[in-house]
């Protein structure tokens, strides 16, 4: 079966621009997570969805970051007024239920010039 | 806050030897732990998990040991192969909360 997919795989943008990163979870998985991973570090939690609602968004660094999951499946992470410090790999994971085993996508590498 | 860390950031082993990767966690309320393997350019891949009501769990060539007394987790890989070369992360979870990941240990298998 298909795993978690993320698009695009790479995104290069200029400082100040707006970007959207997409995540397609495993079919039937109700929980969806976004993480950010910098070089040499472990994934850092950003936000977690249970169904359509954001159950925990405590990891979002500031109000430039926003995520949605309108139909409880695909999710989009949106970053406004990008900064060079936003450059990282953005990972998405899904699990069948909350606190269940998370399965990760390949990530989107975001580079802000 | 939570702290999940690894004792050794890098580990080199000879092909065929056993590997042991360690992880410390700080929150005694954590009750679920996962080991992930991450190869360059890829997302973390689930290896094995363990719940706090167990102290050992075995998979195919991998064993996870949990010592709740000292809040320590280890991953043992038997007969390490070149394909095992990757960064290994442990993650802990408190019920109803997010997962916290450690920094990772880079494992290099020498042929």
């Amino acid at each position: 079966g298909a795993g978690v997919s993320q698009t695009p795989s790479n995104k290069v943008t200029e400082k100040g621009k707006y970007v959207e990163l997409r995540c397609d979870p495993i079919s039937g998985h109700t929980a969806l997570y976004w993480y950010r991973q910098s070089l040499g570090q472990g994934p850092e939690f950003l936000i977690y969805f249970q169904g359509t609602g954001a159950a925990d968004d405590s990891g979002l660094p500031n109000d430039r970051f926003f995520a949605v999951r309108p139909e409880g499946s695909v999710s989009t992470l949106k970053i406004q007024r990008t900064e060079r410090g936003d450059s990282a790999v953005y990972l998405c994971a899904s699990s069948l239920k909350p606190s269940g085993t998370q399965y990760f996508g390949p990530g989107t590498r975001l580079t802000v010039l | 806050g939570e702290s999940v860390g690894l004792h050794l950031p890098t580990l080199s082993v000879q092909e065929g030897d056993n590997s042991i990767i360690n992880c410390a966690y700080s929150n005694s309320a954590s009750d679920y732990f996962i080991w992930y393997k991450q190869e360059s350019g890829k997302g973390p891949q689930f290896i094995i998990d363990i719940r706090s009501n167990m102290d050992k769990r075995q998979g195919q060539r991998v064993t996870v040991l949990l010592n709740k007394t000292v809040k320590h987790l280890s991953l043992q890989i038997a007969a390490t192969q070149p394909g095992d070369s990757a960064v290994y992360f442990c993650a802990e979870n408190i019920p109803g909360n997010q997962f916290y990941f450690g920094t990772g240990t880079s494992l290099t298998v020498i042929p």
Side-chain angles (χ1 to χ4, degrees):
Chain A
V4 177
S5 63
Q6 292 184 245
T7 55
S9 55
N10 281 283
K11 176 69 177 177
V12 180
T13 191
E14 293 179 343
K15 181 176 178 295
K17 298 291 187 183
Y18 167 82
V19 297
E20 289 189 351
L21 311 180
R22 176 187 168 108
C23 172
D24 281 86
I26 294 172
S27 179
H29 281 196
T30 62
L32 184 146
Y33 304 78
W34 282 100
Y35 293 86
R36 179 168 67 175
Q37 186 175 30
S38 298
L39 190 64
Q41 301 294 316
E44 173 192 6
F45 172 79
L46 294 176
I47 186 170
Y48 149 56
F49 287 89
Q50 177 55 32
T52 61
D56 183 354
D57 64 356
S58 62
L60 295 177
N62 51 59
D63 60 6
R64 296 187 296 106
F65 288 74
F66 189 71
V68 295
R69 195 186 185 199
E71 298 178 357
S73 178
V74 171
S75 176
T76 304
L77 178 66
K78 308 180 181 191
I79 309 174
Q80 298 178 317
R81 304 183 302 280
T82 51
E83 299 177 357
R84 292 194 179 87
D86 298 335
S87 296
V89 175
Y90 289 81
L91 294 164
C92 176
S94 70
S95 63
L96 191 58
K97 57 183 181 179
S99 293
T101 302
Q102 295 183 21
Y103 296 90
F104 282 82
T108 293
R109 180 174 297 278
L110 175 66
T111 302
V112 182
L113 301 177
Chain B
E2 286 73 16
S3 172
V4 180
L6 299 171
H7 296 306
L8 294 173
T10 62
L11 178 65
S12 295
V13 298
Q14 288 290 140
E15 181 178 358
D17 287 351
N18 297 333
S19 302
I20 299 176
I21 300 172
N22 297 302
C23 178
Y25 64 96
S26 61
N27 198 316
S28 57
S30 295
D31 78 340
Y32 182 47
F33 305 86
I34 305 177
W35 279 101
Y36 285 93
K37 171 187 180 183
Q38 187 173 27
E39 296 174 287
S40 181
K42 298 183 179 180
Q45 175 188 357
F46 172 87
I47 301 173
I48 192 167
D49 59 0
I50 189 167
R51 295 206 174 267
S52 59
N53 60 351
M54 303 174 68
D55 53 20
K56 180 179 180 179
R57 189 160 190 227
Q58 289 185 289
Q60 186 176 12
R61 283 201 306 118
V62 294
T63 301
V64 56
L65 299 177
L66 175 62
N67 185 329
K68 294 180 287 292
T69 302
V70 296
K71 298 193 203 65
H72 184 267
L73 195 69
S74 70
L75 176 71
Q76 300 178 0
I77 305 173
T80 316
Q81 302 169 359
D84 295 327
S85 293
V87 177
Y88 290 81
F89 294 98
C90 64
E92 65 172 320
N93 178 252
I94 301 168
N97 283 270
Q98 57 182 278
F99 280 82
Y100 294 90
F101 284 77
T103 303
T105 291
S106 177
L107 174 66
T108 300
V109 181
I110 303 166

